[in-house]
Amino acid sequence: MKKNTFEEYLISREKLELLRFITCGSVDDGKSTLIGRMLNDINSIRKDELEALRAISKKSGTQKGNIDYALLLDGLTSEQEQGITIDVAYKYFSTEKRKFIVADTPGHEEYTRNMVTGSSVADLAVILIDVNKGISKQTLRHTNVCNFMGIKKIILAVNKMDLINYDMNTFLNIEKHYLSICKNLKFEAIQTIPVSAINGENISSKSKNMSWYKGPSIIDHLEKINISQNIENQFFLPIQLVNRPTSNFRGFSGLIASGNINKNEEIFVLPSGSKAKVKSILIGDKVKNNASFNENITLTLNKEISVSRGDLILSNINDVYVANQFEANIVWLSKDTGYVGREYILKLSTQTTAANITFIKYELDIENNKKLASKKATINNFYVVNLKTIKTIWFKKFHQNKTLGSFLLIDQLSNETVAGGTINHNLTRSTNLVYQNFLINKETRRIKNKHKSKVFWLTGLSGSGKSTIANFFEQFLHQKGVNSYILDGDNIRQGLNNDLGFTDEDRIENIRRVGEVAKLFVDAGIVTIVSFISPFKKDREMARRLFSTDEFVEVYVNTSLEVCEKRDVKGLYQKARAGLIPNFTGINSKYDIPSNPEITIDTEKKNLEEIIDLLYNYIK
Amino acid sequence: MSYLKYLEAESIHIIREVVSETENPVMLYSIGKDSSVMLHLAKKAFYPGKIPFKILHVDTGWKFQEMYKFRDMVAKELSLDLIIYKNKSGFKNNINPFTFETSYYTKMMKTEALKQALKEGNFNAAFIGARRDEEKSRAKERIFSFRNSNHQWDYKNQRLELWNLFNTRINKNESIRIYPLSNWTELDIWEYIFRENIKVVPLYFSKSRRVVKRKDSIILIDDDRFVFQKGEKIEYDNIRFRTLGCYPLTSAVKSLSSNVKEIILEILSHENSERNGRLIDHDNPSSMEKKKIEGYF
């Protein structure tokens, strides 16, 4: 710092903008050297850090005892031992012109999840390649991940120029090739820079050996590139929490996703559609007349309307989609395979709802720019899919609004984040905010029938006695004058589901369809008996969530595998044991025992009358 | 938007998100400058309401006297719901930094005490004011750091963190450490303290104090429990602290900076990083990572 007065210093800091960027590439391309050089050239490595770095470079470095900059960022023991980057490292530095947060991300495919994490909050990416290798599959992977995560600015650093005698034509060919690759991507600015990281050429100052290059050095470019984000100006405030410390203060808090808001302005609240005026704006403990993008505010309104977490305050009600189906790009990041129809938790801004993938349009092979057919989602791969949420949600296209267009998919049982996604467009027309209410509904039908309508979901191994129980129960209901219907696994598979097999993905779809059909029957006022093996807990839970709490009765028909196999009414176990039936539940496909069913029937101990009694209790 | 506003907005967003989505969060309060900033941000996040969670101070019994005084003053001023937790068996056995190995002392009086406190209070989400620029393994940690039932950090299996969306769902027996100040640097903290006029422990400011020089460290003689090593003599020197912890384990720096403004100017000209004053990080080069894997902050 120049010896200005402290006040001048503070003013200059006040104006300082923050640029967050990532670096991608591998150690072999010279990535660590590049970062080390950058930090070193702008005096960002402290004395004790440098000493520690010298010591550890001697011990476990790869630079023949000289400073090994890789060790500056690879802070985990196993990273230093293996000479690889496992997870994102963040480093903080500033120049007189800008403040920077750099996320150093691992380059290898195996660590895509970590690169995705680092790139999601970056404004710019420095993609590094070795001029001798040119553009590799890894470069394509990095470029596509950046594009996917919404990064708009790229620096392609072409390293090791010293090894090819600073040849201009080699550089220009690579540049041309790279620009053609990026033609169909959504980048706003691409700067290609020839560098020699090891000699510090075109890193913080221009290289004399490459006078043919007229562009900026890396630091120069990082300091000057326009980073004012292309944010739309419509006002959106996703409500994070309701602040109600006393009975006379009711504030709605959140981070402004875009646009700005003034005191006394008229706003709408979704999903209710209510209208009100802004009474006051608080930023922290200060009262303000207006607030804008990325400020954390608390609003109060001029009248009492219902607002809760997950609602959206906006100035124009038509600025946003309100729907339950959309097309999205997703990146799958879990070892657990993702299936069409399986239910996940979707988190989009402050909204949380159950959702499922209804269709995988294709897998995007990002290393070869090809579209592949796919029926399931596997780790580190990218897909274009249709999604359906259980609740209607508000959202925007990702490229219009990052906050309103990006989401996570979370596994219901493990709570792992399994995928990240960005919305391309909605699939249904924006629904009216109020659902169409028909005059004759479930309640009126129930009154006419003089009985409740529910679903009894019978689950258990093949041959456990589900069909027998269903059959007797229905006869009993029939005599009592109760309207009923059996949805039986074998029967449905011959009609509605005759396109489905027995793979995991088809079983999930099988259950999803039966759940939806059962829901219609319950809506029609009918006691519905579902008799399906339904081996997976996740899918039974998915079916359960289609109903209100007292409408779904899970019945676990508990008959041991030995007994089922001994009975073997249809001769299926024998065939399965002989290897003639793949994916047979209990033999070579698993059955999740229900952990909390409403009814458990031990068929080896109870007789049919007792069982019918147990079931009937639920609709009396 | 200036970077301090950006950092403030990010931190408040994180704090509010945790309060909205977890059942029983707690904020760890170490009395240091980072904790003071974190507390200030929490106050802002819920204004005009009160901070809606408990504040936990894990007390080793060996903090500086001025820290205790400051803690009690802040607790009163902000009417904090403050829990002071001590590892009882550790106290009974007089585990102290003079006669026990530093690593054992830290494990018992800090790591174990923290685990016990979280368990007793049934807290499964804890805010901590640590920053990524403090140390290499911290630079690798997510803002939301999940710990297993033994509070251990599995760095190979960190949860994804995309955009500003946080998956806060906690499995049974799991807990989360949340670092709202992840992206702040030492300089950012001081500039924010300056701009927001936040009170900090006076030990951060230079004064002539009674010290002992031990190897490369300057140790303050804070009370009469101090154990002198052979040949050590009491000196008076103008010193201040860059970080605060247990007084026998925290080295001061020679400095004449006696207010926030001077500290900022001092940092700008600093040659050494901040954790240089922390004796517990110097056991060996990867000691912090090891402590984290065992369940440290």
Side-chain angles (χ1 to χ4, degrees):
Chain A
M1 188 184 77
K2 287 188 202 106
K3 289 274 171 234
N4 294 335
T5 64
F6 188 68
E7 282 63 37
E8 279 173 43
Y9 166 75
L10 281 181
I11 292 164
S12 74
R13 298 284 288 184
E14 182 78 57
K15 287 189 205 134
L16 226 48
E17 282 181 307
L18 178 70
L19 171 67
R20 299 191 71 158
F21 69 99
I22 61 163
T23 50
C24 12
S26 74
V27 177
D28 300 336
D29 303 329
K31 183 179 58 151
S32 309
T33 315
L34 177 83
I35 299 169
R37 258 291 168 191
M38 277 168 50
L39 296 176
N40 193 54
D41 289 5
I42 55 166
N43 287 325
S44 247
I45 308 178
R46 303 239 193 240
K47 198 173 118 195
D48 60 327
E49 275 181 307
L50 202 63
E51 270 164 26
L53 186 62
R54 257 194 208 112
I56 194 158
S57 295
K58 269 190 196 131
K59 197 178 134 210
S60 35
T62 55
Q63 301 297 315
K64 295 171 192 144
N66 293 324
I67 287 196
D68 183 354
Y69 285 110
L71 300 172
L72 183 67
L73 290 154
D74 292 339
L76 301 170
T77 317
S78 46
E79 290 181 321
Q80 298 184 349
E81 281 166 6
Q82 295 169 51
I84 53 164
T85 305
I86 292 175
D87 217 324
V88 189
Y90 297 88
K91 202 83 188 154
Y92 303 81
F93 63 97
S94 60
T95 66
E96 282 180 19
K97 298 205 178 76
R98 233 169 223 171
K99 235 180 110 78
F100 300 96
I101 301 179
V102 53
D104 178 33
T105 61
H108 195 270
E109 179 188 346
E110 192 189 338
Y111 300 117
T112 299
R113 49 185 286 123
N114 303 336
M115 180 178 168
V116 164
T117 291
S119 58
S120 70
V121 286
D123 313 304
L124 178 147
V126 177
I127 296 174
L128 185 75
I129 60 169
D130 176 340
V131 69
N132 293 298
K133 290 191 220 152
I135 289 158
S136 65
K137 284 191 172 179
Q138 215 182 47
T139 315
L140 288 172
R141 170 165 286 273
H142 296 159
T143 304
N144 277 297
V145 170
C146 291
N147 181 55
F148 177 87
M149 297 310 292
I151 292 178
K152 299 284 181 212
K153 282 127 192 157
I154 299 287
I155 293 178
L156 183 77
V158 182
N159 193 22
K160 305 194 182 176
M161 289 300 291
D162 52 316
L163 297 185
I164 59 155
N165 224 355
Y166 308 102
D167 181 54
M168 177 176 80
N169 287 327
T170 313
F171 170 78
L172 290 178
N173 282 335
I174 289 176
E175 180 176 56
K176 201 170 138 201
H177 183 189
Y178 191 74
L179 293 178
S180 76
I181 287 167
C182 297
K183 215 170 53 198
N184 295 320
L185 305 179
K186 294 198 170 79
F187 300 132
E188 285 163 6
I190 302 167
Q191 178 69 47
T192 331
I193 305 179
V195 301
S196 163
I198 205 141
N199 297 337
E201 292 176 280
N202 286 341
I203 305 296
S204 65
S205 56
K206 294 290 293 287
S207 160
K208 292 196 182 76
N209 290 315
M210 291 179 270
S211 51
W212 47 263
Y213 171 73
K214 303 294 177 209
S217 70
I218 290 187
I219 294 285
D220 203 22
H221 192 62
L222 288 175
E223 282 182 327
K224 286 187 190 143
I225 187 168
N226 176 14
I227 48 170
S228 60
Q229 291 178 48
N230 233 339
I231 309 272
E232 55 176 350
N233 40 31
Q234 288 98 325
F235 174 73
F236 294 114
L237 177 71
I239 299 306
Q240 210 178 2
L241 58 88
V242 178
N243 190 347
R244 196 171 198 178
T246 58
S247 55
N248 50 25
F249 185 91
R250 197 153 158 269
F252 308 109
S253 305
L255 187 66
I256 300 177
S258 63
N260 50 59
I261 186 77
N262 297 300
K263 201 182 156 181
N264 295 327
E265 209 175 302
E266 191 172 78
I267 54 91
F268 293 88
V269 181
L270 287 180
S272 70
S274 316
K275 233 191 317 187
K277 274 187 178 164
V278 175
K279 194 169 121 196
S280 69
I281 304 170
L282 277 172
I283 302 182
D285 48 5
K286 304 249 170 17
V287 180
K288 302 271 176 175
N289 285 324
N290 50 62
S292 56
F293 168 65
N294 213 20
E295 285 185 308
N296 257 306
I297 62 171
T298 299
L299 290 184
T300 62
L301 302 177
N302 70 335
K303 55 180 173 187
E304 284 264 331
I305 52 172
S306 157
V307 183
S308 47
R309 176 174 166 89
D311 286 2
L312 181 70
I313 290 184
L314 71 175
S315 38
N316 184 343
I317 202 154
N318 295 318
D319 282 345
V320 69
Y321 295 121
V322 179
N324 69 346
Q325 286 184 62
F326 51 83
E327 187 201 275
N329 294 336
I330 61 167
V331 53
W332 198 262
L333 296 156
S334 166
K335 283 184 193 124
D336 289 344
T337 304
Y339 294 108
V340 169
R342 175 157 286 177
E343 205 173 86
Y344 299 96
I345 298 159
L346 178 138
K347 187 169 180 188
L348 188 152
S349 182
T350 55
Q351 305 173 99
T352 305
T353 172
N356 56 59
I357 300 167
T358 55
F359 180 56
I360 298 179
K361 292 193 160 167
Y362 54 85
E363 178 189 336
L364 195 63
D365 175 356
I366 60 168
E367 290 181 354
N368 299 294
N369 267 335
K370 273 189 200 145
K371 293 175 184 176
L372 311 171
S374 183
K375 285 182 94 175
K376 52 190 176 188
T378 51
I379 188 160
N380 295 333
N381 292 318
F382 292 77
Y383 302 87
V384 176
V385 302
N386 291 344
L387 274 149
K388 182 173 179 230
T389 54
I390 303 302
K391 269 193 334 205
T392 297
I393 57 170
W394 41 262
F395 59 85
K396 293 215 68 165
K397 294 176 182 177
F398 179 69
H399 77 86
Q400 291 175 326
N401 194 309
K402 261 193 181 182
T403 307
L404 271 63
S406 58
F407 59 90
L408 306 177
L409 291 180
I410 300 165
D411 188 276
Q412 307 250 20
L413 293 179
S414 71
N415 285 332
E416 183 193 0
T417 303
V418 292
T422 61
I423 294 177
N424 295 333
H425 54 77
N426 68 329
L427 287 170
T428 48
R429 235 190 296 163
S430 271
T431 50
N432 292 322
L433 300 177
V434 182
Y435 277 108
Q436 192 66 46
N437 281 320
F438 294 103
L439 289 175
I440 302 299
N441 59 30
K442 190 153 59 180
E443 282 318 308
T444 48
R445 290 184 200 107
R446 281 173 179 166
I447 290 165
K448 182 184 161 228
N449 285 350
K450 298 195 183 71
H451 61 74
K452 298 170 187 168
S453 64
K454 281 189 181 186
V455 59
F456 287 86
W457 193 282
L458 274 55
T459 169
L461 296 172
S462 173
S464 58
K466 296 184 299 298
S467 302
T468 313
I469 293 168
N471 198 8
F472 269 86
F473 187 40
E474 189 169 36
Q475 283 181 36
F476 180 83
L477 292 175
H478 193 73
Q479 283 169 4
K480 292 267 180 194
V482 175
N483 296 321
S484 64
Y485 195 80
I486 298 178
L487 294 169
D488 176 79
D490 290 344
N491 296 354
I492 299 279
R493 276 192 175 278
Q494 287 174 37
L496 175 66
N497 290 358
N498 70 3
D499 56 329
L500 301 176
F502 290 89
T503 59
D504 285 358
E505 52 265 46
D506 281 3
R507 279 174 191 265
I508 294 165
E509 175 62 11
N510 190 30
I511 300 302
R512 190 193 67 80
R513 287 188 199 168
V514 174
E516 291 286 355
V517 172
K519 189 181 169 185
L520 294 176
F521 274 78
V522 170
D523 193 53
I526 292 168
V527 171
T528 313
I529 307 159
V530 174
S531 168
F532 266 66
I533 297 174
S534 41
F536 303 136
K537 189 177 173 196
K538 281 184 184 174
D539 306 324
R540 294 192 300 262
E541 290 300 310
M542 163 177 89
R544 179 186 287 273
R545 266 186 290 275
L546 294 172
F547 300 89
S548 59
T549 9
D550 60 342
E551 279 178 354
F552 190 87
V553 183
E554 186 175 5
V555 183
Y556 173 35
V557 183
N558 182 8
T559 309
S560 65
L561 181 63
E562 295 73 47
V563 174
C564 291
E565 199 165 353
K566 213 183 285 168
R567 286 183 195 158
D568 205 5
V569 192
K570 300 171 197 161
L572 295 171
Y573 282 94
Q574 206 182 347
K575 281 188 193 164
R577 287 284 182 204
L580 298 174
I581 311 177
N583 301 324
F584 192 79
T585 303
I587 305 294
N588 41 22
S589 182
K590 67 166 182 161
Y591 178 83
D592 300 334
I593 294 169
S595 49
N596 218 357
E598 276 75 10
I599 303 174
T600 300
I601 298 175
D602 191 337
T603 60
E604 294 161 47
K605 286 188 188 139
K606 282 213 160 38
N607 65 37
L608 266 174
E609 278 71 34
E610 290 172 310
I611 294 169
I612 301 305
D613 233 34
L614 263 175
L615 298 176
Y616 188 59
N617 266 334
Y618 274 81
I619 35 171
K620 259 201 257 181
Chain B
M1 169 172 249
S2 85
Y3 70 93
L4 275 181
K5 278 195 177 158
Y6 173 93
L7 292 173
E8 181 191 66
E10 183 184 68
S11 302
I12 290 178
H13 175 72
I14 292 163
I15 294 170
R16 284 176 172 173
E17 196 66 7
V18 172
V19 167
S20 305
E21 291 212 317
T22 63
E23 274 169 30
N24 196 14
V26 67
M27 182 171 276
L28 262 63
Y29 178 60
S30 75
I31 320 174
K33 62 185 190 304
D34 300 330
S35 279
S36 297
V37 166
M38 184 163 67
L39 209 52
H40 184 80
L41 291 165
K43 201 174 73 181
K44 277 195 171 190
F46 303 102
Y47 182 86
K50 271 180 46 176
I51 295 174
F53 41 75
K54 293 195 164 111
I55 309 293
L56 170 67
H57 177 226
V58 176
D59 186 12
T60 58
W62 290 90
K63 303 294 172 190
F64 294 89
Q65 294 311 314
E66 286 195 66
M67 289 173 76
Y68 292 117
K69 221 162 62 185
F70 183 83
R71 176 193 70 191
D72 296 340
M73 181 201 83
V74 168
K76 209 170 139 195
E77 230 170 61
L78 301 179
S79 19
L80 299 179
D81 194 349
L82 178 72
I83 308 169
I84 298 165
Y85 191 90
K86 298 175 182 179
N87 179 348
K88 290 177 203 82
S89 78
F91 267 87
K92 223 168 52 199
N93 297 323
N94 190 26
I95 295 175
N96 67 76
F98 285 110
T99 42
F100 288 81
E101 281 287 325
T102 308
S103 57
Y104 181 74
Y105 165 79
T106 309
K107 191 173 170 229
M108 296 312 292
M109 302 310 280
K110 293 179 92 174
T111 311
E112 282 307 312
L114 172 65
K115 286 187 198 173
Q116 289 169 7
L118 294 180
K119 203 176 158 198
E120 272 184 31
N122 237 337
F123 302 115
N124 55 6
F127 292 105
I128 298 176
R131 294 175 284 107
R132 283 177 178 146
D133 89 320
E134 281 178 74
E135 201 272 336
K136 265 200 222 174
S137 70
R138 277 207 174 133
K140 294 262 167 182
E141 199 164 1
R142 302 265 195 268
I143 294 170
F144 283 68
S145 181
F146 285 77
R147 306 299 178 93
N148 66 15
S149 53
N150 292 320
H151 297 266
Q152 290 160 325
W153 180 49
D154 179 5
Y155 65 85
K156 281 186 186 146
N157 206 5
Q158 299 201 70
R159 200 175 265 185
L160 283 156
E161 224 158 77
L162 305 182
W163 303 290
N164 62 1
L165 280 169
F166 299 104
N167 169 5
T168 56
R169 301 175 75 91
I170 307 166
N171 287 323
K172 223 179 146 191
N173 297 328
E174 241 183 15
S175 60
I176 350 174
R177 310 284 164 88
I178 305 113
Y179 305 103
L181 305 181
S182 284
N183 287 322
W184 296 60
T185 64
E186 187 189 11
L187 188 58
D188 299 335
I189 292 285
W190 281 114
E191 283 188 17
Y192 191 70
I193 287 172
F194 183 84
R195 284 173 203 273
E196 300 278 315
N197 208 4
I198 300 169
K199 282 184 195 149
V200 292
V201 183
L203 289 165
Y204 284 111
F205 306 120
S206 172
K207 211 173 110 180
S208 173
R209 294 186 169 97
R210 211 157 62 107
V211 297
V212 148
K213 309 246 164 91
R214 185 174 288 176
K215 285 185 205 155
D216 297 332
S217 324
I218 306 168
I219 314 286
L220 184 80
I221 306 164
D222 197 53
D223 57 31
D224 49 19
R225 294 178 295 175
F226 192 88
V227 180
F228 289 88
Q229 289 177 7
K230 231 177 155 179
E232 280 179 346
K233 57 177 195 295
I234 299 174
E235 295 176 43
Y236 283 85
D237 212 342
N238 286 319
I239 56 141
R240 66 174 206 89
F241 290 86
R242 281 181 87 181
T243 66
L244 292 177
C246 298
Y247 87 81
L249 297 175
T250 311
S251 176
V253 289
K254 280 197 181 202
S255 163
L256 291 172
S257 306
S258 59
N259 56 40
V260 180
K261 180 178 151 179
E262 285 165 15
I263 288 176
I264 292 173
L265 292 169
E266 182 189 312
I267 293 171
L268 288 168
S269 61
H270 255 309
E271 289 190 315
N272 281 328
S273 67
E274 173 189 14
R275 286 200 86 85
N276 203 29
R278 291 258 179 148
L279 308 183
I280 59 169
D281 294 345
H282 291 299
D283 306 354
N284 74 55
S286 54
S287 61
M288 174 65 92
E289 180 187 343
K290 226 182 262 165
K291 286 193 196 85
K292 281 176 113 55
I293 291 170
E294 285 169 2
Y296 188 60
F297 301 169

